[in-house]
Amino acid sequence: MKKIAFVFAIALISMSCDPEQWVATHATSWYAKNSTDQTLIITTSPFIEVDAVVDPGDSVLVHSFHPFQYLGEPAFDTFYDAWEGKPEQEWCISVSSQEGRLLKKWKYMDRNAAGRQIFHQSYWQLYTQKEGHSDELNFIWVFNILPEDIAPLELRR
């Protein structure tokens, strides 16, 4: 009798929800690429526990998210969800030299200021690729950190 009740419970659970809707996701990732000739340290608290060391030509994952497919294709703005619950004035991504000297600090509050802003979608490149034989799509946004982004202020003019 216990086996019949167990099988009935499993069958009921299986019929009561649409697992495909809750399992199928899209992969979404935001990467910072080091397009300079020096090794950089990127700090993106809270999503990278340890500062990321990025050699020239390499990139580092800044944020990732796997939204359900039934919600549609993910938008760039889900990047900002990583800071959810933190005051906007704390939203920032910093770039330092290998020696620890601060080279650039992008703040969310300054996203519409002049110059290249990491928090402004127009400076990111989007790559989309299909994942194997599934319906999953990979959405990969890449921000290239250029030499002029980290040049001392007197050289940026």
Side-chain angles (χ1 to χ4, degrees):
M1 185 67 175
K2 287 182 182 180
K3 287 183 183 180
I4 293 173
F6 179 72
V7 171
F8 179 74
I10 296 296
L12 183 62
I13 290 170
S14 298
M15 291 186 295
S16 65
C17 66
D18 181 6
E20 183 65 28
Q21 179 180 4
W22 303 106
V23 174
T25 61
H26 290 300
T28 357
S29 306
W30 290 263
Y31 287 89
K33 181 177 180 184
N34 181 357
S35 296
T36 73
D37 61 356
Q38 61 182 299
T39 299
L40 301 175
I41 310 295
I42 300 179
T43 305
T44 56
S45 178
F47 12 89
I48 295 180
E49 294 291 323
V50 198
D51 294 343
V53 178
V54 188
D55 291 323
D58 284 345
S59 53
V60 64
L61 181 66
V62 176
H63 179 52
S64 66
F65 181 60
H66 294 272
F68 295 117
Q69 286 183 14
Y70 78 87
L71 295 173
E73 291 186 359
F76 177 83
D77 289 351
T78 56
F79 176 56
Y80 307 130
D81 294 345
W83 282 275
E84 190 174 322
K86 299 232 182 239
E88 281 188 9
Q89 58 269 26
E90 292 182 17
W91 298 17
C92 66
I93 294 177
S94 301
V95 179
S96 301
S97 68
Q98 199 168 15
E99 297 77 35
R101 187 177 79 250
L102 181 65
L103 302 172
K104 180 70 176 183
K105 186 173 189 175
W106 281 289
K107 298 177 183 178
Y108 177 78
M109 301 285 289
D110 298 333
R111 68 191 174 283
N112 294 318
R116 291 172 32 86
Q117 300 296 326
I118 202 167
F119 288 103
H120 200 282
Q121 180 180 351
S122 65
Y123 294 103
W124 291 76
Q125 295 172 312
L126 172 62
Y127 301 93
T128 307
Q129 57 188 162
K130 190 166 172 47
E131 186 63 41
H133 297 294
S134 72
D135 290 334
E136 181 179 30
L137 294 174
N138 286 336
F139 292 84
I140 302 165
W141 280 276
V142 177
F143 181 87
N144 286 296
I145 299 173
L146 304 174
E148 55 265 28
D149 292 328
I150 60 169
L153 285 176
E154 59 273 5
L155 297 178
R156 291 185 203 165
R157 294 184 179 129

